[in-house]
Amino acid sequence: MKAAKARAVLALLSLCVLSIAGSASSSIPTDPFVGIAPEDLKYYKSSDVIKCKDGSKKFARAQLNDDFCDCPDGTDEPGTSACPGAKFYCRNAGHSPVLLYSSRVNDGICDCCDGSDEYDGKVNCSNTCWEAGKVARDKLRNKIATYKEGVTLRKQEVEQAKLALVKDEEELTKLKNEEKVLKGLVQQLKERKEQIEKAEEQERLQKEKEEKEKKEAEEKAEKEKIKTEEEAKQEKKEGEIKAEIEDIGVANTDHEKIGLVEDTPSDQNVEDDFEPLKEIENGDNAVSRGQQANGVDQHVVEDKDESVSQVSQKESEIAVEDVSRADQMTASGKDLSEDTEALSKEELGRLVASRWTGEKTEKEDKDGIIEDSEGEDHEETSKDAHVEDEDEYASDADDDDQRYEEDDIEDDVDEDVPVEDHYDTSSSHESQSDDELDLSDTTTQTSPSWLEKIQQTVRSILQAVNLFQTPVDKSEAARVRKEYDESSAKLSKIESRISKLSDKLKYDFGKDKEFYSFYGRCFESKQNKYVYKVCPYKQATQEEGHSTTRLGQWDKFDDAYRVMIFSNGDRCWNGPDRSLKVRLRCGLKNEVAEVDEPSRCEYVALLSTPALCLEDKLKELEHKLELMENEQPRPHDEL
Amino acid sequence: MRTPLSLFLLLSLLLFLSSCAVVLSWKKEEFRNCNQTPFCKRARSRKPGSSPFLAADVSISDGDLVAKLVPREPDPDQEDQEPPARPLALTLSAYRDGVMRVKIDEDYPSQESPHKRRFQVPDVIVSEFESKKLWLQRVSTERVGGDEGVSSIVYLSDEYEGVVRHDPFEVYVRERSSGDRVLSMNSHGLFDFEQLREKKEGEDWEERFRSHTDTRPYGPQSISFDVSFYGADFVYGIPERAASLALKPTRGPGIDHSEPYRLFNLDVFEYLHDSPFGLYGAIPFMISHGKARGTSGFFWLNAAEMQIDVLGEGWDADSGISLPSSQKRVDTFWMSEAGIVDAFFFIGPGPKDVVKQYVGVTGNPAMPQLFATAYHQCRWNYRDEEDVENVDAKFDEHDIPYDVLWLDIEHTDGKRYFTWDKVLFPHPEEMQRKLAAKGRHMVTIVDPHIKRDESYHIHKEASKNGYYVKDASGNDFEGWCWPGSSSYIDMLSPEIRSWWADKFSFENYVGSTPSLYIWNDMNEPSVFNGPELTMPRDALHYGGVEHRELHNANGYYFHMATSDGLLKRGNGNDRPFVLSRAFFPGSQRYGAVWTGDNTAEWDQLRVSVPMILTLGLTGLSFSGADVGGFFGNPEPELLVRWYQLGAYYPFFRAHAHQDTKRREPWLFGERNTELMRDAIRTRYMLLPFFYTLFREANVTGVPVVRPLWMEFPFDEATFDKDEAFMVGNSLLVQGIFTERAKHVSVYLPGKESWYDLRTGTTYLGSKTHKLEAPEDHVPAFQRAGTIIPRRDRFRRSTTQTVNDPYTLVIALNSSQTAEGELYIDDGKSFEFKHGAYIHRRFVFKGGKLTSLNMAPATSGNLPFKSECIIERIIILGHAGGPKNALIEPGNLKAQVEFGPLLLQGRSSSGVLTIRKPGIRIADDWTIKVL
């Protein structure tokens, strides 16, 4: 310290002397080798003429650190600020050495903890390396401890993943075999069933023919009699029915345009067809129909059935917007520019403000304009919230006429059980995975007997049923039908399981499959009023109360598996589709933290996971600590 | 009842139309055009020669020429034309340095007359101007041309005379010797003055626009007249609008449907890049320039809505009026809704003369602090303290200098200015101190709308004291802005301004520190639910002044009060920095302005140049456009080009809308980071040059960036150029305004050569050069015959550069000479006003570079000292091959070698460099190149 002070005084003095001499020189360091890293010293000391490292020029030893830039790359000025490209090395004994931009040298700000970057005497920097280094070393030690444990966890994880993957592969192979066999059986049953049906049909036709002949003879006489009186009446009625049917047709076209029907199961479709009819019967007019469509659409938008393509979602959103605009128009009867004249002063103020902010005004809310699917208009979905994330949920009904596909929901609830043990329970949960539908009887242990059983049954059926016997044996026919139905149901379940499994296996689980366990899981983080849910390989959402905003669909890993990217989330007003980048770091638990939105609708989050605790990195850290601990400060540098 | 099918068709139509609306988001229908503005429509339909006035009772009184303008006998054929009730009073005054002032107001019969007085804008004309008044002694009369009647002539200067022609009434300036006219008023007889009068039975004075009603209690009171500029090829000025530098005609043969240039301060959402429509500020000052005569200017001090037509050649063909001038001429037509005629005729004859004459009236631009001339980083919004810390750290991580970090409206507690959001900014002082530790400053926004919230101290005091602007019925005016329901402080009152200024003291503005400065936005004022998004014209200000009379000066007064606040805060010795969006003549005294909410488009980058040049011509030297474009997301290439050009804006700030993606310079890959860093560093490298130019503007009003014709007034090819501009007299900068440009054409004016700023390559003058468009910069050239001072070392911010050495770049002309200047002071205080500065003039002549002192010999008692040295002198275009340099005094030798022109970026072929002359910037010395 004393020495440093003396140096400073000396520097000041020499500065004064120089300026008196009229050739004031800036801050030429007393040590010609200042700012040079130890491993580089040889380069500078080896000869009297030194090459610029970029090979462009040479300079004399006297030009080293003479506060004048000679090399374009700054080779000649490692210890001054003369070259913009140069780097200054601070030794920082007791802490870690640092390479500084030359712009920091003698700028009056203490950058190196040993203060070596400020040698022109204008500021006095105390040496804080040992204390700062201690803090840094402790931090590093903690980090190393985490890494050590994390590396073990990661190994376990990787082992388990490998086993599980083998299991998945095995299951897939097995399922595929079963599928093959079952397909054959179903085909046979189908043929048999068709033959039976054919026979039955013949039987029926024969019967009908006989009855018809009988009836015709009876009716003929009677009809002849009434015909003349009824003719006029009859014609009129037919006309009415026709008109009604046409109306229904139009309504349905409209319905499809709004984008609702695509994914509706067929049984609903049937019912759905009756709806417009009901409405017409009830005398509902077209506008209220539009409003209902609007209400329905919000569910589609918010619940975002995964199987509905993005395109159709967008279409439906646009349609909703337009429907409501149309409503607005119908109400006001004015043109489509923002109808500011009809607004109250406050409404007008809010509306104009919203141009800059994109926040919705009360007026718009009232009219139900859905510019985006952000927060506010989600209340209505509250009752559906318990089936969030679910694919199979599709509501095609008005609010007062909701129908779920009950089976699927029950399945999902049943399946909401962890498959494996995980180290973390608090922050993550299994997504309501629908991979493992009720194929419990198809699982590895029981399956041979199961398949054999079916095979036997089928064999016996095929042998037992006499095809060409008429009349058809009713109980035999029923048995064939039942067996066919059951087998094909089984088949479609196996097929669906296969497709899900092979979809799963297509995902990138990392170099060592270390991310395998992320599949089908979600990690949650609560921040203020929001709950963020990150479901790798699926999606990420932000939930506020009952409303859910999708931050993105699973896209990919990036930056050598250090980042997970979710893209194409819900649309933002005047902005991009939402997206989320999850930066991964080593930690003992799978935990989401620090969700942030640095740009509007572009989210970032941090996820700690053992998957990132890499052995190489651990070695690197240990080496770093070793270096730091070796760099004991020389006694006179300490306070 | 609508059928579903037609509903569907309608939906498709709506979808189609709404997608169109995205492209044209300027809400044209919300703003009045001339036809919807009765005074403009009336004035524009008037025929030349219809002016009913003639001058009478001409005499000299109190050193002025005074006269009455009396109505001509009514034309018996036009019975519907109502004769003006009373005469008008005209006062013509002459001022030193070539300024003539003409005032025309109602002739109030006595001091106590019951009439409402028309509004004369106070507080704009600087007091020094009055001291320049020439005491007119006598008036002579003369029969000019073939006139039957006489004209009265007064002395303006040895070269010029002012003439009042009596019948028909006309005022003009002419050259004494030749009799050639310079500037004239009412030569086409379009002068009209609607006098205040009693409302007649059944008369309806109300005006309606959209849902708004203007009660207009004083009825029609507009003024209009024509002004002609002689020997002029083009006219310029009258900001603010996004349009070309040379103003295109708005009326005349071949021009259909064009609007006059409007001067009415408005918050225009997503303004277009080429439109005569007025934006945030208004300066009714027009400059003409032509080869035949040079430059003249006309300024009408009036704060009401103004509309100005530039009349295309042949517009008056049918009028039968022929002006006695064979010179090329530009005619213009000026209309204002209210106020009086207070017109200033600036004689020129050079471009810089006119600008000096104008700032002689309205005041010189303030000298900014050094930090304010550097790079500013802004975004709506840096969200919280952590965000601020991260952005700050990233600049250091990437070794990019910056001086100021800005906080937009979201930093406040619910848009209550002077407060902080307690969650996002819990430790504002600590945050500012952290920045200040790296020599950096912070700017927070303070807008003029005050949240109507009883718990908000500003509102409480303002409403209690009656400090708000009143509505037509006398209650506090309420409008809607960011905070919701708001009222607006009435800054016309000196007492209220003083109260406002006190709010900036450290104890009143809790959480502020000495490194905090201010941004005034929305001060047109922006009122979201007002007519045309502003305050109703019948709102009432201090002294019963109607908002219509004051409107264009509203932002000016707010800017003034805020600037005064910072002045008070710093005990009068800390130069204020206040950025304002709205402006008026005189705003240059209070701080910087920017061009408002532009858009991330190439066309908007392009139009930023004429916009900034126009502001500079009209006194507002310290101006810039948001780098990157406020709305939208610029492609990286556009952003980089914007940085490369923006580095030469006088005010250099990046800013972005809250819905845009983050766009700090390091977010677009390494190469783009490098390019943006390079652009920002170019600005820092040239800061000594810029700061010297800011001082020049401060002393003379000549702007930092200038149209080419200001430096080359005789080079006709420059007159309508507005893609390139001059920085000072030494540097020509050409923007690149197209995507993936391969080539760029640059016109280099004048007879001397130019040196590429990066490579030192020589280009001939008076030629258009087609150059390859470089990726790493926009073309910039140093003019032969100039010397530019630089600082080649980079720091985190300007604060750390104070001890760094200088580089001089000498660009020799064909006679091997060059000149340049360097101004230095403490960069912060007003000590420079007492002589605490260094001002050197460098002259290279006869192989010798000499440093001369330009500061007056009697420097004040607080001289400014600097130990800074010159580390490098670069000589471009030297004929010989010198080996040594000899320095006097001291007879010291310095080495001469070949070195790079720039220490970073593209390497040039070696340029002649005097290595380490080691001489101090503050001293007199001579270097002889041997």
Side-chain angles (χ1 to χ4, degrees), chain B residues 30-48:
Chain B
E30 283 182 9
F31 301 106
R32 303 213 292 192
N33 60 31
C34 179
N35 266 336
Q36 293 166 317
T37 309
F39 84 86
C40 186
K41 193 180 175 187
R42 273 200 307 280
R44 231 186 176 199
S45 65
R46 207 170 304 124
K47 293 265 179 309

Side-chain angles (χ1 to χ4, degrees), chain A residues 83-101:
Chain A
C83 286
K87 292 276 171 64
F88 181 94
Y89 174 89
C90 349
R91 203 173 138 252
N92 287 348
H95 200 341
S96 325
V98 162
L99 270 181
L100 289 182
Y101 291 119

Side-chain angles (χ1 to χ4, degrees), chain A residues 15 19 21-28 57 63 66-73 76 80-85 101-111 117-118 120 122 250-251 253-254 257-258 284-287 289-290 318-319 321-327 329-330 336-359 573-576 594 596-600 602, chain B residues 1-5 7-8 10-12 14-15 17-18 27 29-30 209-212 267-270 379-381 383-384 386-387 390 395-400 410 437-439 480-482 522 526-531 533 536 581 597 630-631 633 657-663 677 681 792-796 799-800 803-805 867 869 871-872 892 897-900 903-904 907 913-920 923:
Chain A
L15 213 94
S19 47
S23 61
S25 157
S26 58
S27 25
I28 293 177
K57 275 174 89 176
Q63 283 167 272
D66 69 343
D67 205 26
F68 186 87
C69 188
D70 291 296
C71 295
D73 68 351
D76 63 313
T80 75
S81 60
C83 286
Y101 291 119
S102 66
S103 60
R104 272 49 156 179
V105 178
N106 286 330
D107 68 346
I109 300 166
C110 306
D111 289 287
D117 59 317
E118 296 299 319
D120 69 353
K122 295 209 168 66
V250 172
T253 315
D254 177 34
K257 286 277 159 23
I258 297 169
D284 276 353
N285 63 27
V287 174
R289 171 74 195 143
I318 290 160
E321 205 168 311
D322 287 339
V323 168
S324 49
R325 275 184 197 227
D327 288 349
M329 260 189 52
T330 337
L336 48 119
S337 65
E338 285 162 337
D339 181 18
T340 54
E341 310 216 8
L343 302 180
S344 77
K345 287 268 162 166
E346 182 174 332
E347 285 167 344
L348 179 60
R350 286 184 193 278
L351 178 73
V352 172
S354 74
R355 285 177 194 157
W356 278 270
T357 59
E359 279 157 23
W573 182 87
N574 213 8
E594 295 178 33
D596 199 3
E597 189 187 358
S599 264
R600 176 157 282 204
E602 293 184 349
Chain B
M1 183 168 144
R2 202 190 299 273
T3 69
L5 186 65
L7 181 68
F8 170 68
L10 235 152
L11 289 182
S12 327
L14 281 171
L15 185 61
L17 287 172
S18 60
K27 307 261 189 286
E29 71 283 354
E30 283 182 9
F209 180 67
R210 295 170 71 84
S211 60
H212 305 280
D267 183 359
V268 183
F269 181 75
E270 297 190 347
R379 176 178 179 82
W380 175 22
N381 211 79
R383 285 167 315 144
D384 51 25
E386 195 189 343
D387 198 6
N390 285 338
F395 272 100
D396 288 345
E397 194 179 304
H398 294 277
D399 208 16
I400 302 173
E410 312 297 335
K438 292 184 198 162
W480 197 271
C481 210
W482 300 128
M522 317 296 279
S526 180
V527 179
F528 290 156
N529 57 354
L533 264 76
R581 192 169 71 181
D597 297 349
F630 177 68
F631 292 113
N633 294 305
H657 186 275
Q658 63 172 350
D659 286 335
T660 61
K661 288 172 184 252
R662 286 285 173 136
R663 52 163 98 137
R677 172 172 47 227
R681 282 181 166 188
D792 289 352
R793 303 192 180 196
F794 300 110
R795 299 298 191 181
R796 271 176 274 227
T799 311
Q800 297 101 40
N803 299 312
D804 284 341
E867 299 296 326
I869 58 154
E871 62 172 335
R872 179 185 295 107
L892 301 165
E897 58 176 28
F898 282 93
L903 294 182
Q904 46 141 26
S907 59
T913 304
I914 302 175
R915 192 179 194 281
K916 296 182 79 177
I919 37 184
R920 292 202 313 175
D923 296 340

Side-chain angles (χ1 to χ4, degrees), chain B residues 190-204:
Chain B
L190 286 168
F191 175 69
D192 190 43
F193 195 114
E194 293 175 329
Q195 301 189 44
L196 295 176
R197 57 188 171 84
E198 293 298 316
K199 195 168 173 178
K200 284 198 209 99
E201 193 100 359
E203 221 175 347
D204 181 14

